[in-house]
Amino acid sequence: MLMKPLIFCLALLSACFLAPAQLPTHWYDHAVIYEIYPRSFQDSNSDGVGDLNGITAHLDYLKDLGVDAIWITPFFPSPNLDFGYDVSNYTDVAPEYGTLADWDHLVAEARKRNIRILVDFVVNHTSDQHPWFKESRSSRDNPKRDWYIWKSGGGPKDPPTHWTSIFGGYTWTWDQTTEQWYYHIFLPQQPDVNWTNPDLRKAMFDVVRFWLDHGASGFRLDATPYLIEDPAFPEDLDPPAPGGPAALKPYNSGRPENHQVLREMRHILDTYPGDPVLLGESSTATIEDLAKVYGKNHDEIQLPMDFLFGNLTKLDAATFKKQIDAAEFQLGGQTPVFFFSSHDHPRQWSVFGDGTHNDQIAKLTAALTLTQRGCILLYYGEELGMATMPAADLKPVPLGPKRPRADDRDGERTPMQWNTKVNAGFSEGTPWLPVESNFKRYSVEMEKKNPASIYSWYTNLLKLRHDNAAFRDGSYVPLESGNPNVFAFGRKASDNEVALVVLNTSPAPQSVHITGMPGTWPGFQHLLMASPLAPVPLGQTLKIAPYGVLIAATK
Ligand code: GLC
Ligand code: CA
């Protein structure tokens, strides 16, 4: 009697296991995740600071754009010396951003539109105003003393090591009350927590459960390389030059001990439904180190951001090909994560623009990321061609409660440009940062009306990514263009349908002869997207316009 259902179940199971390898098995393997800096997205109560209700108000915009998920940078209570990355309470919403009820509402509304939300979890450090640190610093025998990293060194003038912090100065600050030094890889107001302490670990994992229970679909994990330090705290024999890079030293990052922490965190996520994900701020010095971040058994961070790609600042076909090939062939087939812009990176319209062809170049860099296999991150306003505000324009902006500290990254954090009205529609109050002066030209309102706008280009790319099998699920086909200015590659769907992408990173027209396509040249009859427009069919030998983009398929 039981035989039939059993056979049916087995058949179903084997159908799952025999699915073609390139079909994504998780939503995030081909997702587009949109990063929102909540302070700058939409102010709903006219206090000049963006908030959670402002995000909820624009969920239809995000749905129309076609994103799968949003990552919201920290919205927890914070003294805002690092704008939320100095957390003073992990399980609440800062009053300027709203309430927990606003968060619950946002999640519910997002879910209706099939948009997931990732919480930015600052795992390496808290604010010095967090109650845990206040207790820890209160006495040497406080039960939470060991939740942070305290050492005596050689007294008040002689820190335990001479390591340099990422934000400048030593990584140690002397605390007069208990006459010891505490460790911080970032600001002195951001003490590192001690992940080797089991109670701290448990408290942090409770935070993970708290947000998953509140409907988060996972986390963007802040500063993951820096969780645990070399327990010997060796002296730095090769200190960075003043102002030089203090990051990714063998003693301060990428420690083998980090893996166990991330495995335990991942294990918690795996007990929740809906396939929650860890998106890691996992900068590494090499692609081999990046491969390790996924975990030996694919049981750590599913989506480590590829900073080897994301930190590129030169529009150069050969370098792009080198980094994409590396991600494709040296990460063991795991899901790569590509991006250019973020709240820590100047905006790509400004970085890659040559001052004359910035819009066309913005379309090119968008096509470069959004036609790749893997997960792609967009930064709010990238889809409009928002620019980095020049430092000179920010200099006169006063400091105060809304802007406790000037940050050299403020230029990429200016308000979202919704329309041509006052403050670009961001706020009816005084925005905490001014709006970029180009908002009359680059705004949602203006660009939605223009089929040739950067916004229209992005929505078309996102549509292509979702609707076209080669771009949604296809494998990457490395090609040679025979021209150092042109990056060409293919995407191959499980039914062997192939698509072609050709990108000219130079200001001159270029001729290419493409090789490396498996089998005979398929003859690309169907132009899916091009800027500027180009004739079809695309032959193996073709000409491409300055900063041109060609995306074509065989049918
Ligand atoms: C990460 C964040 C950055 C922050 C730093 C310290 O790098 O992306 O904005 O300043 O961590 O928390
Ligand atoms: Ca507000």
Side-chain angles (χ1 to χ4, degrees):
M1 284 297 276
L2 281 173
M3 247 353 231
K4 258 196 184 157
L6 187 65
I7 289 170
F8 178 69
C9 285
L10 283 175
L12 256 186
L13 263 180
S14 61
C16 293
F17 288 126
L18 295 177
Q22 61 269 61
L23 276 185
T25 41
H26 306 282
W27 67 270
Y28 49 78
D29 287 329
H30 62 144
V32 173
I33 302 178
Y34 185 92
E35 179 190 354
I36 293 181
Y37 202 67
R39 211 170 184 77
S40 300
F41 197 59
Q42 178 72 65
D43 172 19
S44 72
N45 63 349
S46 308
D47 66 355
V49 173
D51 39 58
L52 296 185
N53 285 338
I55 300 175
T56 309
H58 286 297
L59 286 170
D60 284 334
Y61 169 76
L62 297 169
K63 188 178 165 53
D64 290 348
L65 178 61
V67 307
D68 302 287
I70 56 180
W71 141 32
I72 310 178
T73 64
F75 48 80
F76 321 105
S78 161
N80 281 328
L81 292 176
D82 191 13
F83 293 101
Y85 285 99
D86 44 333
V87 179
S88 53
N89 179 354
Y90 283 108
T91 53
D92 204 352
V93 174
E96 69 219 269
Y97 295 128
T99 61
L100 259 181
D102 294 338
W103 159 267
D104 291 337
H105 179 59
L106 168 60
V107 171
E109 288 300 314
R111 197 161 279 173
K112 282 186 202 158
R113 294 162 178 85
N114 212 10
I115 295 175
R116 293 169 154 92
I117 307 188
L118 308 188
V119 166
D120 204 322
F121 186 20
V122 187
V123 278
N124 177 71
H125 46 271
T126 67
S127 160
D128 64 347
Q129 298 307 307
H130 195 293
W132 297 345
F133 187 70
K134 286 187 175 171
E135 275 195 50
S136 183
R137 82 188 314 177
S138 65
S139 74
R140 285 201 191 187
D141 53 13
N142 184 279
K144 293 202 173 61
R145 181 66 168 181
D146 188 47
W147 284 33
Y148 294 82
I149 299 156
W150 292 97
K151 296 216 175 293
S152 296
K157 298 238 146 44
D158 186 13
T161 66
H162 296 79
W163 299 359
T164 309
S165 105
I166 291 175
F167 287 162
Y170 286 136
T171 54
W172 300 97
T173 290
W174 177 255
D175 190 61
Q176 201 47 55
T177 318
T178 56
E179 300 192 309
Q180 278 195 317
W181 301 85
Y182 66 86
Y183 176 77
H184 51 88
I185 187 74
F186 295 99
L187 293 174
Q189 294 88 348
Q190 292 172 303
D192 277 44
V193 297
N194 178 11
W195 273 98
T196 66
N197 179 294
D199 295 333
L200 174 281
R201 209 179 269 214
K202 190 183 160 297
M204 283 296 210
F205 290 156
D206 285 346
V207 175
V208 169
R209 291 191 190 88
F210 177 88
W211 288 106
L212 291 172
D213 290 339
H214 274 270
S217 292
F219 301 89
R220 180 268 190 180
L221 292 182
D222 186 59
T224 56
Y226 303 102
L227 294 186
I228 299 184
E229 296 69 40
D230 183 336
F233 284 88
E235 197 44 280
D236 188 347
L237 300 178
D238 179 25
L248 299 177
K249 293 284 202 160
Y251 52 79
N252 69 17
S253 59
R255 302 292 309 165
E257 299 87 342
N258 292 354
H259 292 281
Q260 181 59 24
V261 172
L262 293 165
R263 264 197 300 274
E264 287 174 23
M265 196 182 299
R266 169 69 182 277
H267 182 70
I268 298 174
L269 267 76
D270 287 348
T271 63
Y272 277 77
D275 223 358
V277 75
L278 295 174
L279 166 69
E281 193 202 12
S282 309
S283 38
T284 59
T286 65
I287 196 82
E288 290 77 15
D289 287 348
L290 181 58
K292 290 183 202 149
V293 180
Y294 293 86
K296 260 198 199 119
N297 300 309
H298 313 270
D299 55 356
E300 296 179 33
I301 294 182
Q302 297 103 313
L303 298 176
M305 293 162 68
D306 183 346
F307 280 81
L308 302 165
F309 180 86
N311 287 341
L312 296 176
T313 53
K314 203 167 154 244
L315 196 71
D316 177 53
T319 314
F320 292 149
K321 175 170 170 57
K322 182 173 150 244
Q323 280 315 135
I324 301 276
D325 282 0
E328 281 293 341
F329 302 116
Q330 293 180 62
L331 295 179
Q334 302 179 94
T335 301
V337 183
F338 299 117
F339 69 99
F340 281 129
S341 298
S342 82
H343 69 290
D344 293 327
H345 290 78
R347 290 183 174 275
Q348 68 204 69
W349 185 93
S350 303
V351 169
F352 294 107
D354 64 354
T356 312
H357 306 96
N358 290 43
D359 289 4
Q360 176 58 31
I361 295 171
K363 290 180 181 174
L364 185 150
T365 56
L368 168 60
T369 56
L370 287 165
T371 57
Q372 298 301 333
R373 181 182 79 83
C375 171
I376 311 301
L377 309 183
L378 302 184
Y379 182 49
Y380 81 95
E382 173 189 333
E383 74 278 19
L384 307 175
M386 271 176 65
T388 308
M389 180 174 276
D393 294 1
L394 284 162
K395 226 171 166 192
V397 182
L399 301 186
K402 282 191 264 180
R403 191 183 180 222
R405 182 171 152 262
D407 193 303
D408 57 10
R409 298 162 293 183
D410 286 344
E412 60 254 26
R413 299 171 177 179
T414 58
M416 176 71 171
Q417 295 167 197
W418 294 106
N419 56 42
T420 53
K421 292 189 201 128
V422 68
N423 299 329
F426 161 70
S427 172
E428 285 172 8
T430 307
W432 76 283
L433 276 186
V435 174
E436 227 295 312
S437 56
N438 68 6
F439 76 98
K440 295 251 151 116
R441 188 162 159 210
Y442 298 92
S443 72
V444 173
E445 182 193 8
M446 297 306 285
E447 294 194 41
K448 265 196 163 171
K449 290 186 218 156
N450 176 4
S453 67
I454 296 177
Y455 169 84
S456 298
W457 180 257
Y458 268 82
T459 48
N460 289 338
L461 279 168
L462 281 156
K463 205 166 154 19
L464 181 70
R465 220 182 142 73
H466 283 118
D467 296 350
N468 179 291
F471 287 107
R472 190 181 55 239
D473 314 319
S475 56
Y476 172 80
V477 184
L479 300 174
E480 293 297 335
S481 73
N483 181 326
N485 296 302
V486 178
F487 177 27
F489 61 93
R491 296 288 309 273
K492 189 160 149 244
S494 51
D495 64 357
N496 285 333
E497 185 62 32
V498 188
L500 175 70
V501 181
V502 190
L503 306 166
N504 177 3
T505 56
S506 84
Q510 300 290 340
S511 300
V512 298
H513 181 73
I514 298 169
T515 54
M517 191 67 84
T520 52
W521 184 257
F524 293 92
Q525 308 286 344
H526 191 56
L527 203 57
L528 296 171
M529 286 178 68
S531 178
L533 267 179
V536 273
L538 297 188
Q540 194 168 359
T541 299
L542 58 85
K543 259 203 152 55
I544 177 163
Y547 301 123
V549 177
L550 297 172
I551 306 174
T554 47
K555 58 177 190 208

